[in-house]
mmCIF file of all heavy atoms in Angstrom:
data_model
loop_
_atom_site.group_PDB
_atom_site.id
_atom_site.type_symbol
_atom_site.label_atom_id
_atom_site.label_comp_id
_atom_site.label_asym_id
_atom_site.label_seq_id
_atom_site.Cartn_x
_atom_site.Cartn_y
_atom_site.Cartn_z
ATOM 1 N N GLU A 68 15.786 -28.053 -95.017
ATOM 2 C CA GLU A 68 15.913 -26.597 -95.034
ATOM 3 C C GLU A 68 16.167 -25.997 -93.653
ATOM 4 O O GLU A 68 15.793 -24.872 -93.364
ATOM 5 C CB GLU A 68 14.688 -25.950 -95.679
ATOM 6 C CG GLU A 68 14.506 -26.349 -97.126
ATOM 7 C CD GLU A 68 13.312 -25.697 -97.784
ATOM 8 O OE1 GLU A 68 12.457 -25.117 -97.075
ATOM 9 O OE2 GLU A 68 13.238 -25.761 -99.010
ATOM 10 N N SER A 69 16.861 -26.752 -92.787
ATOM 11 C CA SER A 69 17.192 -26.224 -91.468
ATOM 12 C C SER A 69 18.646 -25.764 -91.383
ATOM 13 O O SER A 69 19.030 -25.145 -90.403
ATOM 14 C CB SER A 69 16.921 -27.279 -90.390
ATOM 15 O OG SER A 69 17.786 -28.390 -90.571
ATOM 16 N N LEU A 70 19.441 -26.067 -92.405
ATOM 17 C CA LEU A 70 20.834 -25.650 -92.429
ATOM 18 C C LEU A 70 21.176 -25.135 -93.813
ATOM 19 O O LEU A 70 20.895 -25.783 -94.822
ATOM 20 C CB LEU A 70 21.745 -26.837 -92.078
ATOM 21 C CG LEU A 70 23.230 -26.545 -92.018
ATOM 22 C CD1 LEU A 70 23.541 -25.638 -90.825
ATOM 23 C CD2 LEU A 70 24.019 -27.829 -91.911
ATOM 24 N N TRP A 71 21.777 -23.954 -93.846
ATOM 25 C CA TRP A 71 22.179 -23.303 -95.095
ATOM 26 C C TRP A 71 23.623 -22.860 -94.921
ATOM 27 O O TRP A 71 24.031 -22.457 -93.831
ATOM 28 C CB TRP A 71 21.312 -22.069 -95.363
ATOM 29 C CG TRP A 71 19.855 -22.362 -95.439
ATOM 30 C CD1 TRP A 71 18.999 -22.557 -94.393
ATOM 31 C CD2 TRP A 71 19.067 -22.512 -96.613
ATOM 32 N NE1 TRP A 71 17.730 -22.805 -94.850
ATOM 33 C CE2 TRP A 71 17.748 -22.783 -96.215
ATOM 34 C CE3 TRP A 71 19.345 -22.430 -97.973
ATOM 35 C CZ2 TRP A 71 16.714 -22.980 -97.120
ATOM 36 C CZ3 TRP A 71 18.321 -22.621 -98.874
ATOM 37 C CH2 TRP A 71 17.024 -22.893 -98.448
ATOM 38 N N VAL A 120 27.268 -19.839 -92.055
ATOM 39 C CA VAL A 120 26.273 -20.883 -91.818
ATOM 40 C C VAL A 120 25.052 -20.293 -91.113
ATOM 41 O O VAL A 120 25.179 -19.468 -90.205
ATOM 42 C CB VAL A 120 26.873 -22.016 -90.946
ATOM 43 C CG1 VAL A 120 25.856 -23.111 -90.698
ATOM 44 C CG2 VAL A 120 28.131 -22.582 -91.595
ATOM 45 N N TRP A 121 23.878 -20.733 -91.548
ATOM 46 C CA TRP A 121 22.615 -20.370 -90.922
ATOM 47 C C TRP A 121 21.925 -21.658 -90.494
ATOM 48 O O TRP A 121 21.732 -22.566 -91.313
ATOM 49 C CB TRP A 121 21.708 -19.631 -91.904
ATOM 50 C CG TRP A 121 22.217 -18.308 -92.350
ATOM 51 C CD1 TRP A 121 21.881 -17.083 -91.854
ATOM 52 C CD2 TRP A 121 23.140 -18.054 -93.427
ATOM 53 N NE1 TRP A 121 22.544 -16.095 -92.543
ATOM 54 C CE2 TRP A 121 23.329 -16.669 -93.515
ATOM 55 C CE3 TRP A 121 23.839 -18.875 -94.329
ATOM 56 C CZ2 TRP A 121 24.165 -16.079 -94.450
ATOM 57 C CZ3 TRP A 121 24.679 -18.283 -95.259
ATOM 58 C CH2 TRP A 121 24.834 -16.903 -95.303
ATOM 59 N N ALA A 122 21.529 -21.744 -89.234
ATOM 60 C CA ALA A 122 20.786 -22.898 -88.716
ATOM 61 C C ALA A 122 19.416 -22.411 -88.262
ATOM 62 O O ALA A 122 19.305 -21.474 -87.466
ATOM 63 C CB ALA A 122 21.535 -23.542 -87.552
ATOM 64 N N THR A 123 18.371 -23.020 -88.801
ATOM 65 C CA THR A 123 16.997 -22.618 -88.481
ATOM 66 C C THR A 123 16.210 -23.831 -88.005
ATOM 67 O O THR A 123 16.707 -24.949 -88.012
ATOM 68 C CB THR A 123 16.295 -22.025 -89.719
ATOM 69 O OG1 THR A 123 16.044 -23.081 -90.647
ATOM 70 C CG2 THR A 123 17.125 -20.948 -90.373
ATOM 71 N N ASP A 124 14.982 -23.604 -87.641
ATOM 72 C CA ASP A 124 14.108 -24.703 -87.239
ATOM 73 C C ASP A 124 13.365 -25.305 -88.425
ATOM 74 O O ASP A 124 12.491 -26.138 -88.257
ATOM 75 C CB ASP A 124 13.096 -24.231 -86.184
ATOM 76 C CG ASP A 124 13.765 -23.936 -84.852
ATOM 77 O OD1 ASP A 124 14.765 -24.604 -84.530
ATOM 78 O OD2 ASP A 124 13.295 -23.031 -84.139
ATOM 79 N N GLY A 125 13.659 -24.856 -89.635
ATOM 80 C CA GLY A 125 13.050 -25.454 -90.820
ATOM 81 C C GLY A 125 11.847 -24.692 -91.339
ATOM 82 O O GLY A 125 11.497 -23.608 -90.873
ATOM 83 N N LYS A 128 8.530 -23.402 -89.095
ATOM 84 C CA LYS A 128 8.928 -22.346 -88.160
ATOM 85 C C LYS A 128 9.236 -21.058 -88.923
ATOM 86 O O LYS A 128 8.897 -19.964 -88.474
ATOM 87 C CB LYS A 128 10.148 -22.815 -87.362
ATOM 88 C CG LYS A 128 10.742 -21.767 -86.459
ATOM 89 C CD LYS A 128 9.930 -21.565 -85.206
ATOM 90 C CE LYS A 128 10.466 -20.618 -84.307
ATOM 91 N NZ LYS A 128 10.992 -20.068 -83.438
ATOM 92 N N PHE A 129 9.854 -21.168 -90.103
ATOM 93 C CA PHE A 129 10.142 -20.002 -90.932
ATOM 94 C C PHE A 129 8.844 -19.283 -91.290
ATOM 95 O O PHE A 129 8.719 -18.079 -91.137
ATOM 96 C CB PHE A 129 10.890 -20.425 -92.200
ATOM 97 C CG PHE A 129 11.059 -19.310 -93.192
ATOM 98 C CD1 PHE A 129 12.058 -18.363 -93.031
ATOM 99 C CD2 PHE A 129 10.219 -19.199 -94.287
ATOM 100 C CE1 PHE A 129 12.216 -17.323 -93.949
ATOM 101 C CE2 PHE A 129 10.366 -18.173 -95.212
ATOM 102 C CZ PHE A 129 11.366 -17.234 -95.024
ATOM 103 N N LEU A 130 7.852 -20.035 -91.754
ATOM 104 C CA LEU A 130 6.565 -19.436 -92.123
ATOM 105 C C LEU A 130 5.894 -18.781 -90.921
ATOM 106 O O LEU A 130 5.320 -17.690 -91.025
ATOM 107 C CB LEU A 130 5.649 -20.494 -92.738
ATOM 108 C CG LEU A 130 6.107 -21.048 -94.093
ATOM 109 C CD1 LEU A 130 5.184 -22.173 -94.528
ATOM 110 C CD2 LEU A 130 6.173 -19.963 -95.133
ATOM 111 N N TYR A 131 5.964 -19.446 -89.775
ATOM 112 C CA TYR A 131 5.395 -18.888 -88.550
ATOM 113 C C TYR A 131 6.066 -17.552 -88.209
ATOM 114 O O TYR A 131 5.392 -16.564 -87.912
ATOM 115 C CB TYR A 131 5.556 -19.873 -87.386
ATOM 116 C CG TYR A 131 5.266 -19.259 -86.047
ATOM 117 C CD1 TYR A 131 3.947 -19.059 -85.623
ATOM 118 C CD2 TYR A 131 6.292 -18.849 -85.196
ATOM 119 C CE1 TYR A 131 3.674 -18.471 -84.396
ATOM 120 C CE2 TYR A 131 6.033 -18.261 -83.979
ATOM 121 C CZ TYR A 131 4.722 -18.079 -83.588
ATOM 122 O OH TYR A 131 4.452 -17.491 -82.374
ATOM 123 N N GLU A 132 7.403 -17.509 -88.262
ATOM 124 C CA GLU A 132 8.140 -16.292 -87.920
ATOM 125 C C GLU A 132 7.830 -15.158 -88.887
ATOM 126 O O GLU A 132 7.708 -14.000 -88.476
ATOM 127 C CB GLU A 132 9.647 -16.563 -87.888
ATOM 128 C CG GLU A 132 10.095 -17.374 -86.686
ATOM 129 C CD GLU A 132 9.928 -16.624 -85.371
ATOM 130 O OE1 GLU A 132 10.022 -15.378 -85.354
ATOM 131 O OE2 GLU A 132 9.694 -17.290 -84.346
ATOM 132 N N ILE A 133 7.670 -15.450 -90.167
ATOM 133 C CA ILE A 133 7.324 -14.417 -91.149
ATOM 134 C C ILE A 133 5.921 -13.881 -90.874
ATOM 135 O O ILE A 133 5.688 -12.671 -90.881
ATOM 136 C CB ILE A 133 7.436 -14.970 -92.592
ATOM 137 C CG1 ILE A 133 8.891 -15.337 -92.909
ATOM 138 C CG2 ILE A 133 6.891 -13.979 -93.607
ATOM 139 C CD1 ILE A 133 9.870 -14.194 -92.842
ATOM 140 N N LYS A 135 4.293 -13.955 -87.994
ATOM 141 C CA LYS A 135 4.345 -13.214 -86.738
ATOM 142 C C LYS A 135 4.948 -11.824 -86.959
ATOM 143 O O LYS A 135 4.448 -10.829 -86.423
ATOM 144 C CB LYS A 135 5.167 -13.994 -85.701
ATOM 145 C CG LYS A 135 5.210 -13.325 -84.337
ATOM 146 C CD LYS A 135 5.927 -14.195 -83.335
ATOM 147 C CE LYS A 135 7.366 -13.763 -83.318
ATOM 148 N NZ LYS A 135 8.197 -14.420 -82.321
ATOM 149 N N LYS A 142 11.144 -8.098 -86.015
ATOM 150 C CA LYS A 142 11.978 -8.912 -86.913
ATOM 151 C C LYS A 142 11.754 -10.393 -86.611
ATOM 152 O O LYS A 142 11.639 -10.784 -85.449
ATOM 153 C CB LYS A 142 13.459 -8.585 -86.723
ATOM 154 C CG LYS A 142 13.818 -7.175 -87.096
ATOM 155 C CD LYS A 142 14.278 -7.137 -88.519
ATOM 156 C CE LYS A 142 14.767 -5.741 -88.833
ATOM 157 N NZ LYS A 142 14.581 -5.361 -90.156
ATOM 158 N N PRO A 143 11.707 -11.232 -87.649
ATOM 159 C CA PRO A 143 11.530 -12.668 -87.416
ATOM 160 C C PRO A 143 12.786 -13.304 -86.831
ATOM 161 O O PRO A 143 13.904 -12.859 -87.095
ATOM 162 C CB PRO A 143 11.243 -13.216 -88.816
ATOM 163 C CG PRO A 143 11.801 -12.222 -89.760
ATOM 164 C CD PRO A 143 11.747 -10.895 -89.070
ATOM 165 N N ASP A 144 12.603 -14.339 -86.021
ATOM 166 C CA ASP A 144 13.709 -15.113 -85.464
ATOM 167 C C ASP A 144 14.080 -16.177 -86.494
ATOM 168 O O ASP A 144 13.349 -17.137 -86.699
ATOM 169 C CB ASP A 144 13.298 -15.766 -84.144
ATOM 170 C CG ASP A 144 14.400 -16.639 -83.567
ATOM 171 O OD1 ASP A 144 15.514 -16.678 -84.125
ATOM 172 O OD2 ASP A 144 14.135 -17.292 -82.537
ATOM 173 N N MET A 145 15.195 -16.000 -87.156
ATOM 174 C CA MET A 145 15.601 -16.914 -88.228
ATOM 175 C C MET A 145 16.622 -17.939 -87.758
ATOM 176 O O MET A 145 17.239 -18.616 -88.558
ATOM 177 C CB MET A 145 16.173 -16.126 -89.412
ATOM 178 C CG MET A 145 15.123 -15.281 -90.113
ATOM 179 S SD MET A 145 13.906 -16.294 -90.985
ATOM 180 C CE MET A 145 12.493 -16.174 -89.926
ATOM 181 N N GLY A 146 16.828 -18.069 -86.465
ATOM 182 C CA GLY A 146 17.746 -19.079 -85.946
ATOM 183 C C GLY A 146 19.132 -18.512 -85.694
ATOM 184 O O GLY A 146 19.306 -17.324 -85.458
ATOM 185 N N LYS A 147 20.127 -19.390 -85.783
ATOM 186 C CA LYS A 147 21.498 -19.005 -85.487
ATOM 187 C C LYS A 147 22.280 -18.778 -86.781
ATOM 188 O O LYS A 147 22.030 -19.391 -87.800
ATOM 189 C CB LYS A 147 22.172 -20.097 -84.667
ATOM 190 C CG LYS A 147 21.494 -20.277 -83.332
ATOM 191 C CD LYS A 147 22.209 -21.259 -82.477
ATOM 192 C CE LYS A 147 21.337 -21.489 -81.267
ATOM 193 N NZ LYS A 147 21.881 -21.551 -80.057
ATOM 194 N N HIS A 148 23.257 -17.891 -86.686
ATOM 195 C CA HIS A 148 24.076 -17.516 -87.843
ATOM 196 C C HIS A 148 25.506 -17.327 -87.361
ATOM 197 O O HIS A 148 25.742 -16.743 -86.309
ATOM 198 C CB HIS A 148 23.521 -16.218 -88.449
ATOM 199 C CG HIS A 148 24.390 -15.641 -89.512
ATOM 200 N ND1 HIS A 148 25.099 -14.492 -89.321
ATOM 201 C CD2 HIS A 148 24.674 -16.058 -90.745
ATOM 202 C CE1 HIS A 148 25.776 -14.216 -90.408
ATOM 203 N NE2 HIS A 148 25.539 -15.164 -91.298
ATOM 204 N N GLY A 149 26.457 -17.840 -88.115
ATOM 205 C CA GLY A 149 27.843 -17.672 -87.733
ATOM 206 C C GLY A 149 28.799 -17.893 -88.885
ATOM 207 O O GLY A 149 28.399 -18.355 -89.960
#
Side-chain angles (χ1 to χ4, degrees):
E68 298 181 347
S69 65
L70 182 68
W71 302 79
V120 180
W121 295 263
T123 71
D124 290 328
K128 174 77 178 259
F129 172 80
L130 293 175
Y131 168 78
E132 287 293 330
I133 295 299
K135 183 175 94 175
K142 296 267 186 211
D144 177 5
M145 293 291 105
K147 297 185 188 223
H148 172 251

